[in-house]
Amino acid sequence: MENAVKALTIAGGILIALMILGALLLMFNNLSTYQNQKDASAKTSQITEFNNQFMAYDKQDLTLMDLKSLYNKVSSHNKKNPEEKIQTNVESVYPGITQEFKTIREEDKQNKVFKCIKIEYENPQGKISKLLFEEVKP
């Protein structure tokens, strides 16, 4: 009789240990899933924040100052991140954009209007990779 009680006690202890181990594994799995979702959410918000700074130029009535600002922003980004450059045709749309803004003709500053014609995204990450513009003819 004593052996049967000991056997039941040992079996009960093993079952309780297995239940605790299962609960710990389940908890670890849930924490891992939660952390992966949190990381994915953070990455998505970073990409959205990155894209939003360039989406401001997706307009039909950009001034030369807006175009110069975009050119400076893209140039700065491309210097900091040579592996994920942003392509743009700003220099071909307005060849004088590379010079300092104060040296650009006043007539051009006030009369030139541009529009965004295309935005392309880098596929795996969804970041903007190309911005194309053209001059709006009056």
Side-chain angles (χ1 to χ4, degrees):
M1 192 70 125
E2 288 178 27
N3 289 341
V5 172
K6 275 190 174 184
L8 285 174
T9 305
I10 291 172
I14 290 173
L15 284 175
I16 290 173
L18 287 175
M19 288 175 57
I20 290 172
L21 185 62
L24 288 173
L25 287 173
L26 184 63
M27 186 176 68
F28 177 75
N29 188 26
N30 286 342
L31 286 174
S32 176
T33 302
Y34 173 75
Q35 187 62 39
N36 289 343
Q37 288 174 343
K38 187 176 172 184
D39 291 345
S41 175
K43 188 172 184 176
T44 301
S45 67
Q46 287 174 346
I47 290 171
T48 301
E49 186 178 320
F50 173 82
N51 286 346
N52 283 343
Q53 64 181 323
F54 295 103
M55 290 301 293
Y57 300 98
D58 186 15
K59 297 192 281 189
Q60 300 296 314
D61 59 344
L62 293 167
T63 64
L64 194 55
M65 183 172 240
D66 293 331
L67 211 60
K68 178 67 173 169
S69 175
L70 172 70
Y71 173 79
N72 290 338
K73 192 175 285 193
V74 168
S75 296
S76 174
H77 171 77
N78 289 346
K79 285 178 187 172
K80 290 178 185 173
N81 306 299
E83 69 282 349
E84 49 180 58
K85 288 189 173 187
I86 297 175
Q87 299 174 356
T88 183
N89 68 337
V90 172
E91 291 178 72
S92 62
V93 170
Y94 188 81
I97 202 77
T98 57
Q99 51 188 305
E100 287 194 35
F101 196 71
K102 63 184 175 185
T103 62
I104 295 175
R105 295 182 350 190
E106 201 60 40
E107 178 183 321
D108 286 351
K109 289 179 188 177
Q110 294 181 10
N111 297 331
K112 298 271 185 185
V113 179
F114 304 89
K115 70 177 179 177
C116 181
I117 56 172
K118 188 174 186 180
I119 295 178
E120 290 182 10
Y121 297 88
E122 200 177 279
N123 278 341
Q125 297 167 331
K127 287 185 174 182
I128 289 178
S129 62
K130 187 184 260 187
L131 295 158
L132 299 177
F133 298 89
E134 71 180 15
E135 185 176 351
V136 176
K137 303 294 180 188

